[in-house]
């Protein structure tokens, strides 16, 4: 083993240790090469078939999604992290349900702050490793952090970084831990030893496919957002498509059915971060309270929450649909 590789591996190990200290469940490294082959083809077909539904932003900046160097010139490595969000408590059974990831504070805020802390630690570690090497021609250290707000194929890079594999429900599944994780990345213009992607371990299991109430998940095919309750109850604007009211059930924001059906999620670690703990006021809500929710109540209840994505009008639309579904 060359001394250079040994130094880079030691640096990668220290970065992973810092990620663990900051509360990330898993950390890995991918080489920042253009996305090609099967992954690029699948993404192009997903867009061309319209399976991205009304998420027009997914069809924009495709060149940057497929080449990280266009998003950050000079990037050499992508440090990928995962943070557990499975809540210790959920909405009471029989009450309206909100997707587990949205029961605490908005993950964008939590993850971005933690990623910036990781980037600061990486800056220190690189400075220590490169002390006295200014004459070696290294460019000035540069980094960017991302979490679901830029044209980054997050699950692809998490797979390339060895965190897990893309399951049949298109969620990243971490072995021994499941898929209830937030993902984030630090782009850096330094080379670090890349981890190895993992082979899928779903086997012949079809639990997620069978659990999907709208057949949005196809075996071997793309996830069709036009039929996905998570998309329809969060991103979709206007009336819900005909027939959806019959399958909404108690879901008024998002849908966890494909995840709760996944055997790997029986092993999901519970979120320990204080900011990701469920909002007590939210857990105390009853159907009667939801039916009488005012716009002011909505703003108070969901201050600093990801549920704001659906807006008040969208949430009330979902509540009406769930109420009608319960009357059928």
């Amino acid at each position: 083993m060359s001394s250079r590789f040994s130094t880079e591996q030691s640096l990668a190990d220290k970065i992973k240790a810092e990620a663990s200290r900051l509360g990330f469940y898993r950390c890995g490294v991918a080489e920042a090469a253009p996305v090609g082959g099967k992954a690029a083809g699948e993404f192009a077909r997903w867009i061309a078939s319209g399976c991205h539904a009304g998420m027009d932003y997914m069809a924009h900046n495709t060149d940057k999604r497929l080449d990280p160097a266009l998003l950050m010139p000079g990037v050499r490595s992508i440090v990928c992290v995962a943070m557990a969000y499975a809540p210790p408590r959920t909405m009471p059974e029989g009450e309206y349900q909100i997707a587990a990831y949205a029961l605490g504070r908005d993950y964008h805020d939590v993850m971005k702050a933690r990623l910036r802390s990781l980037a600061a630690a990486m800056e220190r570690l690189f400075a220590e490793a490169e002390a006295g090497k200014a004459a070696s021609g290294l460019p000035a250290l540069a980094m960017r952090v991302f979490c679901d707000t830029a044209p980054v194929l997050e699950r692809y890079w998490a797979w390339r970084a060895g965190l897990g594999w893309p399951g049949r429900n298109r969620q990243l599944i971490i072995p021994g831990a499941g898929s209830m994780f937030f993902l984030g990345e630090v782009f850096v213009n330094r080379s670090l030893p890349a981890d190895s992607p993992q082979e899928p371990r779903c086997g012949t299991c079809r639990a997620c496919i069978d659990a999907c109430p709208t057949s949005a998940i196809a075996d071997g095919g793309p996830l069709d957002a036009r039929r996905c309750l998570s998309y329809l109850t969060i991103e979709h604007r206007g009336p819900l498509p005909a027939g959806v009211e019959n399958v909404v059930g108690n879901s008024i924001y998002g849908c966890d059915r494909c995840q709760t059906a996944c055997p790997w999620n029986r092993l999901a670690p519970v979120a320990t971060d204080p900011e990701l703990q469920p909002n007590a006021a939210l857990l105390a809500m009853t159907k009667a309270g939801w039916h009488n929710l005012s716009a002011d109540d909505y703003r108070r209840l969901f201050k600093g929450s990801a549920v704001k994505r659906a807006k008040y009008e969208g949430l009330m639309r979902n509540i009406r649909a769930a109420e009608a579904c319960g009357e059928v």
Side-chain angles (χ1 to χ4, degrees), residues 68-322:
L70 297 178
L71 194 57
M72 179 186 146
V75 62
R76 303 290 297 277
S77 298
I78 299 177
V79 176
C80 299
V81 294
M83 178 177 283
Y85 70 76
R89 294 180 297 153
T90 57
M91 309 289 283
E93 187 176 352
E95 297 292 346
Y96 292 147
Q97 300 295 309
I98 286 177
Y101 84 87
L103 292 177
R105 186 181 170 195
D106 190 336
Y107 69 94
H108 296 93
D109 299 331
V110 178
M111 286 288 288
K112 278 289 184 70
R114 209 62 53 84
L115 284 164
R116 292 189 186 105
S117 294
L118 178 59
M122 288 172 58
E123 184 174 11
R124 173 178 55 79
L125 290 170
F126 277 111
E128 292 173 357
E130 296 172 1
K133 297 182 180 179
S136 64
L138 287 173
L141 182 65
M143 286 181 282
R144 288 190 67 183
V145 302
F146 300 101
C147 177
D148 197 28
T149 54
V152 177
L153 296 178
E154 292 194 308
R155 282 187 285 273
Y156 169 82
W157 289 114
W159 168 66
R160 292 295 305 174
L163 270 59
W165 71 89
R168 285 200 169 91
N169 61 358
R170 307 306 180 270
Q171 300 298 307
L172 183 86
I173 299 177
I174 295 178
S179 60
M180 302 183 80
F181 291 90
F182 299 128
L183 303 178
E185 304 79 34
V186 181
F187 284 29
V188 60
N189 65 342
R190 293 292 190 272
S191 291
L192 292 167
D195 293 292
S196 300
Q198 299 193 31
E199 292 296 322
R201 303 187 201 175
C202 290
T204 60
C205 180
R206 290 175 47 90
C208 61
I209 296 174
D210 296 338
C212 181
T214 59
S215 300
I217 307 170
D219 193 0
L223 185 148
D224 192 343
R226 294 168 297 190
R227 306 167 69 92
C228 177
L229 283 183
S230 278
Y231 165 75
L232 292 171
T233 58
I234 299 175
E235 300 268 358
H236 179 69
R237 301 291 179 253
L240 294 173
V244 170
E245 292 90 345
N246 298 329
V247 295
V248 164
N250 280 339
S251 299
I252 61 171
Y253 181 92
C255 175
D256 283 334
R257 290 177 221 186
C258 70
Q259 294 203 93
T260 54
C262 178
W264 287 100
N265 279 323
R266 296 172 190 163
L267 306 171
V270 173
T272 57
D273 192 298
E275 295 178 295
L276 297 179
Q277 299 308 300
N279 180 343
L282 192 56
L283 296 183
M285 286 292 290
T286 63
K287 289 182 178 180
W290 288 116
H291 296 160
N292 295 301
L293 190 73
S294 69
D296 286 340
D297 293 335
Y298 168 84
R299 283 190 286 270
R300 284 192 294 269
L301 187 60
F302 296 114
K303 183 179 180 180
S305 165
V307 178
K308 291 185 297 183
R309 181 79 173 176
K311 303 188 182 302
Y312 174 70
E313 295 75 15
L315 186 66
M316 295 309 297
R317 172 203 63 192
N318 299 342
I319 292 169
R320 291 191 294 270

